[in-house]
Amino acid sequence: MTTRFALPRRVLGAQLSRAYWAELAWVIIGAPLTLVFVALVVVGLVLGIGLSLLTVGLPVLIGVLAGARLIGAAHIALARALLGTTVTPPTRPELRPGLWNGVKSKIGDPIGWRSIAYLVIRLPLSFIEFFLVATLLTYAVSTLTYPLFWFILNGEAMPTFDLRVDTWLLTLPLALTGLAVLLATPWVVHGLTELDRLLVRGVLGAEDLSKRVRDLERSRATAVDDATRRLRRIERDLHDGAQAQLVALAMKLGIAKDELAGDGDLAQVTALVTAAHANAKQALVELRDLARGIHPAALDAGLDVALSTLAAGSGIDARITVTLPSRPSPSIETIAYFTVAELLTNAAKHTSAAIEVDVGIFGDGLRLVVRDGGEGGARPVRGGGLAGIAERLATVDGRLDIDSPPGGPTVISAEIPLRT
Amino acid sequence: MRVVIAEDSAILRAGLVELLNLREHEVVAAVADGDSLCAAVREHRPDVSIVDIRMPPTHTDEGLRASIALRAEMPGCAILLFSQYVETQYATELLADRAGGVGYLLKDRVAEVSDFLDALRRVAEGETVLDPEVVSQLFSATRKTDALAGLTPREREVLGLMAEGRSNSAIATALFLSAGSVEKYVSSIFGKLALPQSEGDNRRVLAVLRYLES
């Protein structure tokens, strides 16, 4: 979508976007948080290694590693919440029986050590990020407010950056540079947090390849089964629906033709043609429904149009908001469409109130949120609708989160990575 | 004729009943699955049954299984299989008992009402009727036995029409030949396929079976 206001909208939108504020929060809390964690871990390690000559050290060391593992998990959760980066937490290595094996595996716990490594790398990075962003924002705020403070300061310099100009008018170009810095900050922050994303993925989420392969094998099997099931269903629908209608139609027209050739009874021929006409119309309806089930034509115009069409056509009362800077790939759009379609149908079964659907970008993925004011208590049941959606999302590394306390409201969100 | 219909699609079942009634045949039972078909045929002993291959519960080949069971029980029990698709495998299984009185037609053929009823009548009289589509698939299939390889293109054409269950005079009309030359071709085919002159067996069916048993 290119309009005259596309650029200003992008620049101003960046200031207000949730993603920016989340990234900013990550940068601001990152430095103090890392400092505290590193201090804890260092103290623990020094104690543990120092005392390990005595046996007391081992439990301390094990405790520190367990703590580090927790810190790592907390960072993974935080990165997911603020940076929108989904990292599968690494699995614990298999435990072998025996006390010594237990101690060995705990001391050699790769996840714990990896969390410590992460903290060590993150410490300087988080401080650099913090000071850089703090400097930029301070400069922007000071220069932007200088035109006001100029009157109060009476020719004195601003406490920050020693800003000082002789006439009030000269404060304005300064303020403009501040505005430019403020507007550019989202891109700087995003660039910096990209480094963090790499770090989280590379160090904390570095899972063993075999697990990844297992997951992929499982999700591929799901994808293949799903495709087969869908094809079979399409064939059955055709066979029992449109094909049967068309055979009946041909048969009735065949009889009518014979009747006409042998100067048959006109009333009977009329009845036959009327029935054949009904068959033809029914076959058209069946074909249209089937085609829509395979690929909704409205999807060619984008998710927004397709989802609105879907809601309007199914008679479900839904408020649909789609905020996407650009169109995702057709396969992602299709998955998103059918996910929302199933979630809507599901929600409509449990509530008659309006259902809210939000589609937007979150971090490096597409996020769909379906919110209904039903009675809550939605759970994924094996073989049920929600479990099926989750499995299908897993085939593209997506995930489904269900938040449905008893009494409602139910909020189901799906995330689909855009980088497939 | 007295007819039993086994077809799970209600639309088609009703359509067939209507068609047969209109042409003064009696539909003694119209059922929707294999077990009911067997029961109905045992009870009514119809002249012919029209059987859909795909029926509940598995929607694969229930109709065929039921038909084969019925013919094992009552040899020559006339069955016209009726399917949306051509499966030469099904045709082969159905013809395997060589008793005649079987047919295998695509559902589309019902559009030509008189041809369809004609096929139904021929099956009831113990002949074998195969859909042209089945026959052409058999021709294109890579079943080249020595015996078939010895046939001239013209003889293959005649055999193809024979497989569809056409009479000599119908073949003559279709190929613009005299009845006499068709008879010559037919006996030449029988000779090349080494089919014995015998009264009991339907030699035309046997000729067709040569295709199927390669």
Side-chain angles (χ1 to χ4, degrees):
Chain A
M1 212 174 67
T2 46
T3 63
R4 254 182 351 176
F5 305 110
L7 189 65
R9 182 179 305 159
R10 269 194 65 188
V11 171
L12 290 173
Q15 286 297 315
L16 302 172
S17 83
R18 223 189 104 198
Y20 167 51
W21 285 96
E23 284 172 351
L24 204 56
W26 165 271
V27 168
I28 302 294
I29 61 178
L33 206 62
T34 314
L35 190 60
V36 171
F37 283 147
V38 168
L40 282 174
V41 169
V42 166
V43 169
L45 280 181
V46 167
L47 272 178
I49 294 170
L51 293 175
S52 66
L53 301 174
L54 315 169
T55 38
V56 188
L58 283 183
V60 174
L61 203 55
I62 289 171
V64 169
L65 283 167
R69 175 206 287 281
L70 282 178
I71 293 168
H75 269 95
I76 286 178
L78 201 62
R80 206 176 107 62
L82 295 178
L83 301 182
T85 299
T86 308
V87 173
T88 322
T91 44
R92 302 187 68 141
E94 304 282 307
L95 270 182
R96 283 206 291 280
L99 178 68
W100 179 236
N101 278 335
V103 172
K104 226 172 35 179
S105 75
K106 283 207 167 63
I107 296 288
D109 174 13
I111 306 165
W113 287 110
R114 243 194 262 154
S115 301
I116 293 174
Y118 170 81
L119 286 174
V120 170
I121 304 172
R122 174 117 171 82
L123 185 64
L125 184 66
S126 65
F127 272 82
I128 292 169
E129 279 175 17
F130 181 89
F131 284 114
L132 191 62
V133 172
T135 308
L136 288 177
L137 289 177
T138 314
Y139 177 80
V141 172
S142 334
T143 46
L144 278 172
T145 51
Y146 189 39
L148 298 176
F149 282 114
W150 189 86
F151 297 105
I152 304 166
L153 289 169
N154 261 331
E156 297 286 314
M158 278 283 274
T160 50
F161 299 99
D162 272 347
L163 297 171
R164 202 179 148 280
V165 287
D166 291 331
T167 61
W168 180 80
L169 267 183
L170 284 175
T171 60
L172 295 183
L174 262 181
L176 279 180
T177 60
L179 184 67
V181 167
L182 186 71
L183 292 180
T185 307
W187 278 270
V188 176
V189 170
H190 187 72
L192 292 170
T193 51
E194 275 298 289
L195 286 176
D196 283 315
R197 287 190 182 94
L198 277 179
L199 196 61
V200 171
R201 273 201 213 107
V203 181
L204 282 183
E207 45 192 316
D208 48 349
L209 279 176
S210 62
K211 178 176 180 299
R212 178 76 182 140
V213 169
R214 263 202 313 279
D215 286 351
L216 284 175
E217 276 174 352
R218 205 179 32 239
S219 69
R220 188 193 59 180
T222 309
V224 171
D225 287 351
D226 197 48
T228 313
R229 235 197 331 268
R230 280 187 59 156
L231 281 176
R232 191 171 298 139
R233 204 180 56 226
I234 290 168
E235 192 276 335
R236 273 288 304 277
D237 287 352
L238 271 173
H239 179 273
D240 298 348
Q243 274 183 319
Q245 292 284 359
L246 288 172
V247 170
L249 158 81
M251 179 162 52
K252 282 168 187 146
L253 288 179
I255 304 172
K257 197 177 74 179
D258 280 16
E259 290 292 317
L260 286 171
D263 70 310
D265 165 15
L266 188 62
Q268 197 175 39
V269 173
T270 310
L272 281 163
V273 172
T274 309
H277 187 222
N279 285 135
K281 285 190 294 190
Q282 190 54 39
L284 285 174
V285 171
E286 310 233 2
L287 284 173
R288 194 176 52 227
D289 287 350
L290 189 66
R292 190 187 298 138
I294 296 168
H295 176 84
L299 204 48
D300 295 340
L303 261 179
D304 199 356
V305 178
L307 291 177
S308 313
T309 311
L310 169 77
S314 57
I316 295 171
D317 182 10
R319 275 206 305 275
I320 293 171
T321 325
V322 179
T323 350
L324 294 174
S326 61
R327 285 190 62 173
S329 70
S331 60
I332 298 286
E333 270 188 346
T334 308
I335 290 168
Y337 173 86
F338 283 109
T339 304
V340 173
E342 289 198 50
L343 289 174
L344 264 181
T345 320
N346 242 339
K349 280 183 205 156
H350 301 292
T351 177
S352 51
I355 301 162
E356 283 173 52
V357 179
D358 273 303
V359 181
I361 293 288
F362 181 68
D364 44 16
L366 187 73
R367 174 180 268 190
L368 327 160
V369 184
V370 177
R371 194 177 284 101
D372 75 72
E375 70 271 22
R379 293 277 169 277
V381 185
R382 203 178 155 66
L386 286 175
I389 299 173
E391 272 178 15
R392 268 199 295 283
L393 284 171
T395 62
V396 288
D397 287 339
R399 48 181 297 154
L400 191 73
D401 283 321
I402 301 165
D403 174 29
S404 184
T410 300
V411 180
I412 299 184
S413 55
E415 283 176 28
I416 306 166
L418 290 171
R419 266 175 286 189
T420 41
Chain B
M1 288 187 285
R2 296 169 67 256
V3 187
V4 166
I5 296 173
E7 160 70 64
D8 62 317
S9 158
I11 308 164
L12 283 182
R13 205 168 51 233
L16 284 169
V17 171
E18 194 184 0
L19 166 67
L20 291 166
N21 286 340
L22 205 67
R23 291 288 181 269
E24 327 267 290
H25 297 295
E26 186 195 352
V27 179
V28 289
V31 298
D33 63 82
D35 294 344
S36 319
L37 166 70
C38 292
V41 171
R42 285 189 198 108
E43 182 187 345
H44 298 286
R45 299 288 166 139
D47 298 319
V48 62
S49 308
I50 302 174
V51 180
D52 179 17
I53 293 185
R54 281 173 65 169
M55 285 192 287
T58 67
H59 292 274
T60 50
D61 58 356
E62 279 76 5
L64 177 74
R65 298 277 147 254
S67 303
I68 288 174
L70 279 173
R71 284 171 64 85
E73 218 176 290
M74 318 170 213
C77 161
I79 303 263
L80 175 63
L81 279 184
F82 194 55
S83 167
Q84 204 87 265
Y85 313 106
V86 163
E87 288 281 356
T88 45
Q89 180 61 37
Y90 291 163
T92 316
E93 286 189 48
L94 188 70
L95 291 165
D97 62 8
R98 305 190 169 200
V102 290
Y104 184 72
L105 284 186
L106 277 183
K107 285 188 179 177
D108 308 10
R109 304 299 166 208
V110 77
E112 298 303 332
V113 178
S114 47
D115 290 2
F116 173 73
L117 289 170
D118 189 46
L120 193 62
R121 188 187 46 75
R122 292 215 309 271
V123 170
E125 286 167 3
E127 288 185 37
T128 302
V129 178
L130 291 180
D131 196 281
E133 191 65 31
V134 177
V135 176
S136 67
Q137 279 205 13
L138 293 174
F139 266 105
S140 62
T142 51
R143 309 158 178 258
K144 287 224 161 56
T145 61
D146 299 341
L148 289 184
L151 297 183
T152 65
R154 198 48 145 175
E155 284 167 347
R156 277 164 185 270
E157 243 178 315
V158 173
L159 181 53
L161 291 167
M162 225 157 68
E164 287 175 21
R166 300 210 197 181
S167 63
N168 280 7
S169 62
I171 295 175
T173 316
L175 299 179
F176 307 107
L177 296 168
S178 68
S181 43
V182 171
E183 262 171 53
K184 275 204 202 70
Y185 281 125
V186 171
S187 51
S188 151
I189 291 168
F190 287 164
K192 283 182 178 174
L193 297 182
L195 296 169
Q197 280 279 18
S198 68
E199 283 309 301
D201 259 330
N202 182 340
R203 288 209 302 167
R204 300 174 84 85
V205 175
L206 288 179
V208 173
L209 279 174
R210 277 300 148 96
Y211 271 124
L212 307 173
E213 299 171 344
S214 310

